[in-house]
């Protein structure tokens, strides 16, 4: 289970980085060039997008990396990452996979009481 949490966390973090890059870039683009009515408008909380676009994927990668050695901490970081992605970006077509992978990885890491058999 720890290996599965590791893989899910790293994949969720990489996919979350793509979402974070796009979210950060979009908010900066709108700030620089202005809004286009009914086509490209600024989000309600651009600083939230920018902050969690960085923090949530880093938490997922760190949680996945820690899942093998310190499963409880890794699982907590993965669950925090899933919550952060949902809080910043909501649930949509591009966020459903990193949220689900980070959440499942967190649950698997928390459920892993014993080290994986070799």
């Amino acid at each position: 289970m720890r290996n599965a949490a590791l893989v899910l966390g790293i994949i969720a973090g990489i996919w979350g980085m793509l979402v974070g890059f796009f979210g950060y870039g979009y908010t900066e683009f709108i700030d620089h060039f202005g809004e286009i009515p009914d086509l490209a408008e600024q989000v309600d909380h651009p600083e939230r997008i920018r902050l969690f676009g960085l923090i949530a994927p880093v938490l997922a990668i760190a949680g996945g990396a820690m899942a093998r050695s310190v499963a409880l901490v890794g699982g907590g970081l993965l669950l925090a990452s899933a919550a952060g992605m949902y809080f910043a970006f909501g649930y949509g077509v591009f966020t459903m996979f990193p949220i689900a992978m980070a959440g499942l990885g967190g649950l698997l890491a928390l459920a892993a009481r014993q080290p994986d058999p070799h």
Side-chain angles (χ1 to χ4, degrees):
M1 283 199 289
R2 292 173 187 236
N3 287 335
L6 179 141
V7 171
L8 287 170
I10 291 175
I11 293 171
I14 291 170
W15 191 255
M17 282 177 23
L18 294 173
V19 173
F21 287 147
F22 178 78
Y24 195 99
Y26 178 82
T27 59
E28 285 293 323
F29 180 85
I30 298 298
D31 277 350
H32 185 72
F33 292 108
E35 295 183 352
I36 302 169
D38 296 330
L39 181 62
E41 298 176 351
Q42 187 60 280
V43 297
D44 291 334
H45 303 287
E47 291 303 319
R48 178 190 306 170
I49 299 291
R50 294 173 187 159
L51 180 66
F52 282 95
L54 169 68
I55 292 174
V58 170
L59 288 176
I61 292 171
M66 293 178 71
R68 286 186 48 91
S69 58
V70 187
L72 293 178
V73 175
L77 291 176
L78 284 164
L79 291 176
S81 171
M85 284 188 230
Y86 182 76
F87 176 67
F89 301 108
Y91 185 81
V93 68
F94 293 106
T95 60
M96 65 181 165
F97 289 110
I99 291 171
M101 288 180 185
L104 178 59
L107 293 176
L108 288 174
L110 292 177
R113 298 279 182 204
Q114 301 292 327
D116 290 337
H118 296 284

